[in-house]
């Protein structure tokens, strides 16, 4: 099913405007074809009553049940040296059901704050696209960048992915927790000081086996495990 995002409701009708109206035309939705519309955290099955270049008027046929992941996960992702790699992490973590993404500046990460903040506008667009592709109703929350030193172990289960330190295995994670914080390093990994600091704060080193993974692979791998176990 095709999904679109509405920002306006008029009684029993949802309105698609600007880019969403353009997206609707590109999809060539038939006159009697039904489609999904996401509006304020809810999903609706709709059909088009009127469609032109300015807007599409969608009649609500019924509300569609929304699936929400049982686990609330915050990913503290050290900003990758290649910013475009972050685009992939944003897209795939949105599809998986990540609750919150916090870009982190570390010793070996990309460190230009202004460039990161500027890139966040693109990440918002990527989240929007991923929501429509996956049928997710609630957007991924992307917070302002922080320094690694400012991360705190405030979650029920706090995890540090660190393949250079002997830590616990994935099967030892407390999967019964409902709230997780996961810290993933950049391409060059954490410095020794950073790893020690995070462990002192209460983060548990977790080892992904059997090989050393790229940062974008590690992020998606641990999210997949946590959400589905």
């Amino acid at each position: 099913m095709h999904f679109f995002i509405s920002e306006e409701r008029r009684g029993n009708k949802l309105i698609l405007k600007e880019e969403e109206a353009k997206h609707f035309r590109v999809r060539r939705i038939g006159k009697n074809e039904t489609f999904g519309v996401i509006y304020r955290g809810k999903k609706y099955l709709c059909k088009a009553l009127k469609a032109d270049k300015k807007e599409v008027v969608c009649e609500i046929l019924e509300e569609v049940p929304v699936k929400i992941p049982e686990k609330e996960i915050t990913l503290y992702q050290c900003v990758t040296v290649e910013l475009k790699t972050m685009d992939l992490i944003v897209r795939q973590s949105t599809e998986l059901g990540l609750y919150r993404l916090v870009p982190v500046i570390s010793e070996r990460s990309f460190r230009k704050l202004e460039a990161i903040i500027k890139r966040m506008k693109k990440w918002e667009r990527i989240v929007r696209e991923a929501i429509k592709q996956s049928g997710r109703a609630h957007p991924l929350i992307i917070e302002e960048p922080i320094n690694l030193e400012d991360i705190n172990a405030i979650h029920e289960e706090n995890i540090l992915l660190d393949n250079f330190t002997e830590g616990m295995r994935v099967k030892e994670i407390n999967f019964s927790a409902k709230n997780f914080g996961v810290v993933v390093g950049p391409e060059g990994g954490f410095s020794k000081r950073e790893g020690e600091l995070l462990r002192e704060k209460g983060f548990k080193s977790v080892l992904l086996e059997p090989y050393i993974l790229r940062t974008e692979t590690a992020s998606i791998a641990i999210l997949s495990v946590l959400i589905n176990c």
Side-chain angles (χ1 to χ4, degrees):
M1 179 185 294
H2 296 302
F3 279 95
F4 304 90
I5 299 175
S6 173
E7 306 293 345
E8 181 181 348
R9 179 169 183 169
R10 301 173 190 165
N12 195 45
K13 299 176 181 63
L14 294 171
I15 313 301
L16 307 182
K17 292 186 174 182
E18 300 176 352
E19 287 299 316
E20 290 302 308
K22 180 180 178 181
H23 182 207
F24 184 88
R25 294 195 302 274
V26 169
R27 289 295 185 184
R28 298 181 181 274
I29 304 295
K31 184 176 181 180
N32 297 315
E33 186 177 351
T34 57
F35 50 90
V37 178
I38 299 166
Y39 175 74
R40 295 187 177 180
K42 295 184 178 181
K43 296 195 297 185
Y44 300 90
L45 182 67
C46 300
K47 68 176 182 180
L49 295 179
K50 172 189 172 184
D52 56 36
K53 292 184 178 181
K54 292 184 178 181
E55 66 178 30
V56 179
V57 179
C58 311
E59 180 184 11
I60 297 175
L61 301 178
E62 61 179 280
E63 185 173 341
V64 180
V66 173
K67 293 182 179 179
I68 300 176
E70 295 180 358
K71 297 168 184 176
E72 185 178 288
I73 303 171
T74 296
L75 173 62
Y76 298 94
Q77 174 67 53
C78 291
V79 182
T80 54
V81 175
E82 292 287 341
L83 276 181
K84 64 181 180 180
T85 303
M86 286 291 294
D87 299 351
L88 176 64
I89 294 172
V90 169
R91 181 180 302 279
Q92 294 186 333
S93 60
T94 301
E95 294 174 7
L96 282 170
L98 178 66
Y99 177 70
R100 180 186 293 110
L101 173 65
V102 182
V104 177
I105 298 175
S106 64
E107 291 183 18
R108 297 170 182 167
S109 74
F110 185 87
R111 297 182 58 83
K112 295 180 180 179
L113 180 60
E114 290 185 2
I116 297 172
I117 293 176
K118 183 178 179 180
R119 192 76 174 193
M120 291 178 70
K121 293 182 180 179
K122 181 173 184 178
W123 296 341
E124 291 174 359
R125 293 196 299 271
I126 291 174
V127 168
R128 193 177 179 92
E129 293 168 0
I131 284 175
K132 293 191 289 185
Q133 184 276 322
S134 63
R136 173 176 173 167
H138 297 275
L140 168 66
I141 299 170
I142 303 181
E143 296 192 349
E144 294 291 317
I146 65 172
N147 293 315
L148 182 137
E149 290 77 10
D150 296 325
I151 300 175
N152 292 303
I154 58 175
H155 307 276
E156 188 176 347
E157 183 77 331
N158 301 279
I159 296 170
L160 163 64
L161 291 192
D162 188 355
N163 272 47
F164 301 101
T165 298
E166 187 66 24
M168 66 181 189
R169 271 51 182 177
V170 170
K171 63 182 180 182
E172 298 175 77
I173 293 173
N174 175 22
F175 289 109
S176 64
K178 298 298 183 182
N179 187 287
F180 293 80
V182 182
V183 188
V184 180
E187 288 91 332
F190 300 104
S191 68
K192 181 179 179 180
R193 180 193 68 83
E194 289 173 329
E196 291 176 349
L197 173 64
L198 290 171
R199 282 187 288 275
E200 288 174 359
K201 288 189 172 187
F203 283 89
K204 305 172 184 176
S205 288
V206 172
L207 184 64
L208 292 180
E209 298 177 302
Y211 307 117
I212 296 173
L213 304 178
R214 295 173 65 93
T215 182
E216 64 270 30
T217 307
S219 297
I220 301 309
I222 192 63
L223 289 180
S224 299
V225 170
L226 293 178
I227 288 173
N228 290 286
C229 290

